[in-house]
Amino acid sequence: MLGITGGKVFDPINGIDGRLMDIWIKDGKVVPEEMIDKSEAQIIDASGKVVMPGGVDIHSHIAGAKVNSGRKMCPEDSLRLLRPRSQITRSGSGLTVPSTHLTGYLYSEMGYTTVMEAAAAPLVARHTHEELEDIPNIDKGVFITMGNNHFIMKCIRDGELGKAKDYVAWLVGAAKGFAIKIVNPGGVENWKYGKNVQNLDDEVIGFGVTPRQILTTLGQINKDLKLPHPLHIHGLRLGQAGNVDITIETMELMNEFNGHFCHVQFMSYGGERGSLPQSASKKIAQAINEKSGVSVDVGQIVFGPATTMTSDGPAQFSLHQRIGGKWINDDLESESGGGLAPLTFKRNNPLHGTMWLTGLEIFLLVDDPWKVFLTTDHPNAGPFLGYPQVIRLLMDRDYRTREFERLHTKAKKNALLPELKREYTLYEIAIITRGGPARRLGLKNKGHLGIGADADLTVYLPDDDKEEMFSHPAWVVKDGEIVVKDGHLVREQPGRTMYVSPNYDPQIEEDIKAHFKESYTISFENYSIRSEHMGPNEKISCD
Amino acid sequence: MSRIIEDVICKFCGCLCDDIAVETEDDHIVKIKRACPNGRSMFLDYDSSFSKPLVNGREVEWDEAITAAADILDKADSPLIYGLSSTSSESQRKAVELADHLGAVIDSTSSVCHFPTSQALQAVGEATCTLGEVKNRADLLIYWGCNPLVSHIRHFSRYSANAKGMLLPNGRKDRTVVVVDVRPTATSKVADIFLQIKPETDYEILSSLRALVHGKKPEYCIDGVNIEQLEQLAAMLKNCRYGVIFFGMGLTMSTGRSYNVTELFTLVAELNKFNRFSAMPMRGHGNVAGADQVLTWLSGYPTAVSFACGIPQIGPGEFTSVDMLAGKEIDAAFIIASNPAVHFPHAAASHLKKIPTIHMAPVSNGFTGDADVILPTACYGIDAPGTSYRMDNVPLRLRSVLKKKRPTDEEVLIQIIKAVKKC
Amino acid sequence: MKKFFTLITGRTKKQAHGLHKGIGSPDYIAATSYVEICPDDIASLGIIEGQKVKLLSEAGSVELAVHSADIPIGLLFIPMGPAANQLVGPETFGTGMPSFKGMQIKVSPL
């Protein structure tokens, strides 16, 4: 039993905006005060402090084949951050691609308690789950890539949408995924012929279907299956000048189905195709503001080292062609692909400056904070350790202006940012880092401190320097246990992996078996992941 | 009672063929279907019977053996944990935990197979794919310094040269097979083109191919090949639809080591400007790819990791087992599911005989006889289930077909970790 | 004739099979205890197939029976294992990998 008393609580899901109140915890849940025997309860005196639900990250690459390829390719990244073993913790290394235990410690020390791994191809999801089990102190889930899946594309081609729905339900359960992810629909398949897609009606080679059909089919299926999170979309032409138009077109297409558009900063550029991208924040923010079914996370640039990694194989190849250096590509049979390239974002680089501005402007121009969430698309736009700095940029206009002045002259020219006076409040920060992502993920017990919520919370020391305040919370509680005390990690405990397993017509398995014989190199019987072979896990219902 | 278990995964080599049928009778394997000779003898020669651990040649109970092992590890100033490639990833994770706790060096058999490949990957990255992409798309296959018809016997039929796939309905007829090697092999005999090269010329040939692909003609001569042969090969590389180069220890063990592979990876990356191209190392043991993966996610590095300073550090030539043993820098060794006594150069293997050694392996693998503590465990994929990574890093869950009569590596490691924490 | 031969060690089917029988088994020892030399080199060494030769590298020496094989002139092949490893030196040139392929070997008839 635990009581966090006298703190100033920011709990947007429950409409609590800085009210002084006590939070009571028993058996890992938030409970009413009367259920607590105060003589036995441990009390954290939070008077003068700020209490928020534990942070929820809606999009971060922390585990699995791609992340591990990043670790393997970049020994230099290990040297950027080293953590010696202690009495209670394991050693670890890595800033942009930290080793698994270190990932858990760093998120925990930053006050985060739930993190979603942004992408795994189902064929290698078993790997992702092994790593997730080795990330302590946070709960997690994994999104399953389906935007270039052969079985789905065949169903679309043949007009068998019912079959596609049963397959999707089977697949997300077989991979123990939490949500459906789309990455450059059709483009990754075309990359296997050295090509890509540029428009929603381009053809996917060998299937005769289009990105539009893939998006709407999966949007409808996601809705029909009542998955907790809407379709998680990485659209077409990532990183290209002028891509804002296709992003808005995709938002218009998906509005009726609901869609979450991830790392939208990378998808919101103006300028002529092939030229240097410009910020199109105004245009994209207007589209987001107008469309009730659309949410975004930003993928804010943090200056310094990054490791770019995505299932968008052709995007990674063109980045590699532009910047040179190391490059990994991995084509995955019948499902997906991907690539990686290390990169450092620099203030004096005009393009990087523009990308930084684009992200911040989106944060400031989207009216409703429940539609825009804080991410750096870790580690694509920078490591998650940059969140506190981004929070300061959003809350502190003077700081933002000073940082703006440090950009390259070309990036500053005609920039919108200096005109934007908005400063986020603590309540709004609690929305974009807790309540918002939790609600959009459909996690009823996360991101708030109401009765019955998971007892995940963070206690901050108020500080004018918001970067300092959000970098070093005083206390972090996970499942009712104190994991950070006086700013120090004091406990390592396993977190849960959350997954969905919607119902499907079992007859579909015969079709899938035939598909496996034809296309795969492993048998259907060896494909599905069983929950008893995972670490601690929790099935989230679809209703 | 007899039963047939289908879809069994054979973990002998990196192919992890998962279509094996195993027939058992009264908890003995009596028949194997579809496995290659290597896999067949792994199953049929396996003895799953109970046997006790040994300490100094004396049979003891498990508690005593665990205590003896923990004692050796606790007393050592510079212990080495070595092997890992034939155990499950669950055990590998425990082995790394033990190494981290002890401040030990941990190294897998990758150290003497594809660590140079990892070093090349650290330098330039790698364009690669899964075996299904090879089966479904690859019209040009190059086997460089490897002999899959001996080491990965079903590779041709399941995944590559002879497999029928999406864009290659006629299998072998639709593909061109090239072998590059220093000697004729079983594999070179079935190739369309065999480029027989002189030992130690791989790097020059790969560099020349890079030049030719970019339209430049090298002006130097390479011993053993003529420029027309290379021009022909370069044209094939550029003109195929989806090419794959499989490579083996012909590159990693020869002069140049990681530089050979770096040149190969660079060539393959550059070829993607013209068409699609991938490279893939022929990983030997069933879960050697998993050893790289597990070590990487737990420490940041794939092989040769020292925890001696409290943080993970990588050191090719420094924390690699052969160097550390030959340099007598190791004062106790914990060998897991491998046989360095026969697979290491004599100067390194002989140091193992001079220091306290713990050897944990399925009993049928045979022991060196020199180990102070011998821990006979169950065999993953035969009498214990567990996760294994295929040569293309696709993870599979190994099945168990016999009743387990000895503990698993993971169970023993958990006990040893408990015991050393008490020390 | 060449003064030095280049040694290549590697896997064979029988060596793999022998491993399953155990590293002390006669199968394994037989599978790893011979050296392949091409017929031309056998002739110029003045030996016959089956005869034992002494192999000497800077790391050590071993005596093995000769098998005639279709390999290039100047090359020796020994299946990976304890016999081959008498000849392989521990130098890894900073990579961790010893010269399992490429050791220079002197061959003398016994």
Side-chain angles (χ1 to χ4, degrees), chain A residues 74-137:
Chain A
C74 300
E76 67 277 18
D77 192 64
S78 292
L79 300 177
R80 293 183 180 124
L81 179 61
L82 287 157
R83 171 83 59 115
R85 68 175 171 271
S86 73
Q87 287 296 322
I88 54 157
T89 53
R90 302 273 290 269
S91 69
S93 77
L95 171 66
T96 70
V97 277
S99 52
T100 48
H101 290 76
L102 183 57
T103 300
Y105 305 153
L106 293 172
Y107 261 117
S108 201
E109 287 165 344
M110 205 172 66
Y112 272 67
T113 49
T114 302
V115 181
M116 288 291 153
E117 160 54 47
L123 180 64
V124 291
R126 193 182 297 277
H127 176 170
T128 311
H129 285 295
E130 281 211 287
E131 287 197 29
L132 290 178
E133 191 185 347
D134 280 344
I135 300 181
N137 287 19

Side-chain angles (χ1 to χ4, degrees), chain B residues 41 45 182 196 257 323 342 346, chain C residues 20-21 72 85 92 97 99:
Chain B
S41 59
D45 291 339
V182 297
Q196 186 169 336
R257 313 279 201 277
D323 299 274
V342 295
H346 177 69
Chain C
H20 298 310
K21 299 283 182 196
N85 282 325
T92 76
M97 176 69 82
S99 295

